[in-house]
């Protein structure tokens, strides 16, 4: 019988997604400038305007996806599912309503399901990027989705 969990490895070079709501973009840029030396060692991507602004202001190469309201959050979530993003820094603005709030919640849920580190504010981001684990491989266990799907299909056939 297959195991309930499988072990995935986050490599020494992290694939980091950088996302910031409009009211937090300047804070994200400043954070990237303050942590430029660390971030240069990793592959960076982000949602539309945030990715472009970080690259323009810091010189860090950031692969851009769509803007959050145009599906960028969902693109990042899909990359997590594909195993191509293993770390998220998302400076969300808790005091401003976002029209794409369901997409944001879906992204946070996917990060949780796949046991991906996610920082939603500067303090958490600082703790994460200054952790000794930033320079190491990290093994983490996630649900064995193939087994989970097979068991669900079997239970539906038996019903």
């Amino acid at each position: 019988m297959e195991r309930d969990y499988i072990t995935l490895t986050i490599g020494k070079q992290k694939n980091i997604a950088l996302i910031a709501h409009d009211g937090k973009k300047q804070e994200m840029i400043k954070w990237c400038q303050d942590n430029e030396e660390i971030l240069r060692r990793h592959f960076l991507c982000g949602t539309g305007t945030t990715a472009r602004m970080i690259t323009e202001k810091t010189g860090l190469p950031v692969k851009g996806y769509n803007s959050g309201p145009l599906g960028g959050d969902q693109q990042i979530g899909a990359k997590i599912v594909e195993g191509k993003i293993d770390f998220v820094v998302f400076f969300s603005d808790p005091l401003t309503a976002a029209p794409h709030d369901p997409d944001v919640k879906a992204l946070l849920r996917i990060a949780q399901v796949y046991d991906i580190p996610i920082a939603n504010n500067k303090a958490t981001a600082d703790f994460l990027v200054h952790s000794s684990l930033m320079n190491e491989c990290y093994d983490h266990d996630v649900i064995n989705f193939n087994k989970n799907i097979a068991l669900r299909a079997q239970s539906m056939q038996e019903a």
Side-chain angles (χ1 to χ4, degrees):
M1 168 91 23
E2 287 186 81
R3 299 179 326 159
D4 291 337
Y5 291 88
I6 58 172
T7 301
L8 299 178
T9 301
I10 296 174
K12 285 184 180 185
Q13 183 181 35
K14 313 294 187 260
N15 297 298
I16 303 172
L18 303 169
I19 308 166
H21 283 153
D22 289 348
K24 297 289 186 168
K25 287 190 190 329
Q26 292 306 316
E27 183 180 354
M28 173 66 81
I29 290 166
K30 172 82 167 79
W31 182 82
C32 288
Q33 289 169 333
D34 293 345
N35 293 286
E36 184 176 347
E37 186 178 320
I38 293 167
L39 295 174
R40 276 208 186 278
R41 292 183 238 142
H42 304 282
F43 173 77
L44 306 175
C45 65
T47 51
T49 310
T50 303
R52 183 178 48 77
M53 289 176 74
I54 291 168
T55 297
E56 286 174 1
K57 301 287 185 180
T58 68
L60 289 166
V62 184
K63 175 183 173 49
Y65 291 104
N66 287 350
S67 168
L70 299 176
D73 298 325
Q74 292 188 346
Q75 286 179 299
I76 299 286
K79 294 296 179 190
I80 290 171
V81 172
E82 294 171 13
K84 296 188 172 149
I85 291 177
D86 37 44
F87 192 112
V88 177
V89 178
F90 187 168
F91 286 4
S92 59
D93 186 349
L95 302 178
T96 303
H100 62 293
D101 193 52
D103 297 338
V104 172
K105 286 187 171 128
L107 171 61
L108 298 174
R109 182 184 164 281
I110 279 297
Q112 187 175 9
V113 166
Y114 282 84
D115 195 33
I116 297 299
I118 185 163
N120 65 351
N121 58 41
K122 181 184 175 301
T124 306
D126 285 341
F127 271 84
L128 289 176
V129 299
H130 293 285
S131 162
S132 62
L133 296 174
M134 281 300 290
N135 301 313
E136 299 176 12
C137 290
Y138 178 77
D139 291 336
H140 60 125
D141 293 334
V142 298
I143 295 169
N144 183 340
F145 295 105
N146 290 334
K147 179 180 179 183
N148 186 277
I149 290 168
L151 289 173
R152 286 177 51 204
Q154 181 181 358
S155 70
M156 287 180 190
Q157 289 173 352
E158 292 170 356

